[in-house]
Amino acid sequence: MDVASLLPLTTARLSLRLFTPGDADDLYAYQSLPSVARYLYRPAHTRERSEQVAAERAAQTAWRADGDKLALAVCRRDEPGVLGEVSLTLADARAAQAEIGWTLDPGHQGHGYATEAAAALAGFAFDTLGVHRLYARLDVENTGSVRVCERLGMRREAHLVENDLDGDRWGSEYIYAALSADLGSRSGD
């Protein structure tokens, strides 16, 4: 399935749309921050990497095979600019399992945007894409994302201790998940 024709997703305050190459500056503004990259277990983006990522994400619209990824820019409906992003990765097409994620510019955190955007994407995953199980992997120290998972009604299924190495720092992860029967029909509007 090509999801481009099904977008954007909208909520009361937000529009979730495909990235465009023109979003590179907004993407770089938060993806270049060490405080953001820390929870993504990768180095902060360079300007060049942000340009590559914006272009790659603009072209990612397939949803059919393991590894297909949909990354959407989170924007206010009434203002220009990208506040952050939400993503879905098809982890197992046969079992209809997908990983959900979100990253928000720290300047836009604390307003409920991550929860609103993630709820809209979860609803889309269950109601439109036919996902059976949605899960999120997050650093245990990322308390903001823990709260988002809990607000969404996801359950904590695992605590993986020192399972990932970020440079020279061992990180531990929580895995939260929900089934379509748990969260289905929660789309944004």
Side-chain angles (χ1 to χ4, degrees):
M1 162 189 313
D2 186 315
V3 297
S5 65
L6 304 173
L7 301 171
L9 306 179
T10 58
T11 69
R13 301 182 298 166
L14 303 174
S15 175
L16 311 179
R17 61 163 174 80
L18 287 173
F19 276 89
T20 68
D23 292 325
D25 287 338
D26 289 342
L27 190 62
Y28 178 67
Y30 63 91
Q31 288 285 356
S32 65
L33 301 172
S35 63
V36 170
R38 173 180 182 225
Y39 294 126
L40 301 174
Y41 293 103
R42 60 146 178 82
H45 279 183
T46 62
R47 177 71 172 88
E48 295 75 23
R49 181 66 183 138
S50 291
E51 289 173 1
Q52 290 173 330
V53 168
E56 289 167 4
R57 290 179 179 174
Q60 293 173 331
T61 62
W63 188 263
R64 63 180 71 82
D66 292 1
D68 283 351
K69 184 172 183 173
L70 176 63
L72 302 177
V74 176
C75 308
R76 284 191 201 97
R77 286 177 72 167
D78 57 352
E79 295 178 28
V82 176
L83 309 178
E85 62 201 71
V86 289
S87 65
L88 277 177
T89 303
L90 187 53
D92 187 328
R94 189 186 69 72
Q97 293 192 46
E99 181 178 357
I100 189 170
W102 48 84
T103 305
L104 225 60
D105 183 316
H108 299 290
Q109 293 174 358
H111 303 285
Y113 295 134
T115 302
E116 188 173 332
L121 189 59
F124 180 72
F126 289 133
D127 301 338
T128 304
L129 300 179
V131 168
H132 169 71
R133 180 176 178 273
L134 192 64
Y135 67 92
R137 298 172 45 229
L138 47 130
D139 190 294
V140 298
E141 295 179 11
N142 188 345
T143 56
S145 284
V146 168
R147 285 191 299 272
V148 171
C149 288
E150 292 172 352
R151 284 185 198 119
L152 291 176
M154 299 175 88
R155 74 185 146 274
R156 187 181 307 167
E157 292 187 337
H159 179 179
L160 308 175
V161 179
E162 293 187 3
N163 69 307
D164 209 341
L165 189 59
D166 176 20
D168 59 357
R169 179 186 78 89
W170 283 102
S172 298
E173 283 184 321
Y174 288 141
I175 297 176
Y176 279 82
L179 300 176
S180 59
D182 300 330
L183 301 183
S185 300
R186 285 184 143 209
S187 52
D189 263 344

